[in-house]
Amino acid sequence: MTSPAGPVGLFDSGVGGLTVVRALRREYPSQRILYLADQAHVPYGDRPAEEIRGFALAITQFLISVGSRAVVMACNISSATALETARARHWPTPVIGVIEAAVRAALEATHDGTPRIGVLATRGTVASGAYPRLLHRLCPEAVVTQVPCPDLVPLIESGALNGATIQARCRGYLRPLAEAGCTTIILGCTHYPLLLPVFEEEAHSIFETEPVFVDPAQAMVDELRHMTVLDQSSPTGEMRLLTTGDPEIFERQVRRLLGITDAVVGKAQWEAGKVRAVSPVEAAS
Ligand code: DGL
């Protein structure tokens, strides 16, 4: 049951959604956070849309069942496939997605002339058409170029945030956006902000004018603030991070990739299509 004192629940296939946790934490350090990384199924990007939709709805159900006051789909492909159903199913508990926030932030960042917007995303998000659809609804004259980046999530989950392989992949994925003259580039997978320094460096050598990269995390925090679901009153904001994968590996990833050292890390598991927290669970409810 949703609790007014409950944590904000967030999820992703892996460590990517922690880029949203990081932004939330920066502004609201006392907000309790419950995060689920579905690493048993990472990467989501090449799976069928129906399968991802099932994962996203079951995880949303789990986060609400343990008392989350709001759920953040810190995952583009989940937002593209499951957001509307989750909202309808769990109303009035707020459920927010990443795509609306990213599109708003991209249009705000684009000033002169015809917006030429690039979208870097997983194959599934690109195939869903969610970004061009929403961009064209809000800005019919926008020219949108999408590039699927299937290699990045596995590399990031394996701990690679720099080096020759990552640089070459990022350069290759940016090239079609440079050729299309994009001035704004949406990082349309929550893992990708972890590669922002590499993207910026590679863009420097292949774009005539350096593009603006949009990390939707801040826009999502702004959306939560407008919904007045954030808690600034409690002195300590417990951060509880669960994984359906290996908690020891996850704890190391969290520390190394995001510099998060003050979280309680635990295990969740799938059982007959549902998520169940194995440990630790009590304090999250
Ligand atoms: N970080 C996720 C997203 O924003 C999922 C990436 C994946 O597992 O393919 O789409």
Side-chain angles (χ1 to χ4, degrees):
M1 227 189 68
T2 305
S3 144
V8 169
L10 306 95
F11 73 90
D12 181 37
S13 60
V15 296
L18 291 170
T19 56
V20 182
V21 169
R22 187 171 60 181
L24 181 57
R25 195 71 170 170
R26 203 178 300 136
E27 216 168 311
Y28 293 93
S30 62
Q31 173 60 57
R32 288 176 66 205
I33 286 169
L34 174 63
Y35 181 85
L36 186 118
D38 187 16
Q39 291 179 307
H41 297 128
V42 71
Y44 275 8
D46 286 330
R47 292 175 182 271
E50 260 321 290
E51 187 181 25
I52 296 162
R53 190 166 172 275
F55 296 154
L57 291 174
I59 296 168
T60 302
Q61 173 67 49
F62 163 72
L63 291 171
I64 290 176
S65 75
V66 294
S68 299
R69 63 175 63 191
V71 172
V72 177
M73 292 190 177
C75 172
N76 287 261
I77 184 63
S78 298
S79 307
T81 56
L83 183 62
E84 294 314 319
T85 308
R87 275 186 178 153
R89 210 174 263 186
H90 297 290
W91 189 89
T93 302
V95 182
I96 76 163
V98 60
I99 293 174
E100 291 166 9
V103 164
R104 237 181 303 109
L107 293 175
E108 272 165 26
T110 311
H111 302 295
D112 306 324
T114 303
R116 293 187 170 275
I117 300 177
V119 180
L120 298 172
T122 62
R123 275 201 193 107
T125 298
V126 167
S128 77
Y131 271 108
R133 213 167 27 248
L134 189 56
L135 281 161
H136 286 135
R137 194 183 317 145
L138 299 181
C139 180
E141 69 276 21
V143 177
V144 182
T145 307
Q146 300 193 93
V147 176
C149 313
D151 294 343
L152 296 185
V153 169
L155 283 166
I156 295 167
E157 288 284 323
S158 76
L161 296 190
N162 45 44
T165 306
I166 283 275
Q167 284 166 350
R169 293 296 188 286
C170 289
R171 197 176 322 124
Y173 294 142
L174 284 171
R175 199 152 271 139
L177 303 184
E179 284 161 12
C182 293
T183 53
T184 305
I185 297 177
I186 297 174
L187 299 174
C189 167
T190 51
H191 283 72
Y192 300 171
L194 293 169
L195 299 180
L196 184 59
V198 182
F199 278 126
E200 285 178 335
E201 174 139 3
E202 295 304 321
H204 186 69
S205 56
I206 56 177
F207 280 72
E208 270 174 35
T209 309
E210 286 184 35
V212 175
F213 286 94
V214 175
D215 168 1
Q218 185 56 46
M220 296 178 84
V221 175
D222 294 344
E223 195 168 330
L224 286 169
R225 183 187 313 106
H226 291 141
M227 294 175 137
T228 63
V229 293
L230 296 173
D231 182 11
Q232 300 175 70
S233 59
S234 71
T236 54
E238 182 192 64
M239 180 163 30
R240 195 163 284 262
L241 311 178
L242 304 179
T243 178
T244 57
D246 182 329
E248 280 177 27
I249 296 174
F250 185 50
E251 187 160 22
R252 282 201 293 276
Q253 287 175 311
V254 164
R255 210 174 313 123
R256 207 176 75 73
L257 300 179
L258 288 121
I260 296 175
T261 52
D262 58 343
V264 179
V265 174
K267 166 99 182 132
Q269 71 188 31
W270 287 95
E271 275 176 18
K274 293 195 169 130
V275 178
R276 187 174 76 79
V278 178
S279 69
V281 65
E282 298 80 4
S285 54

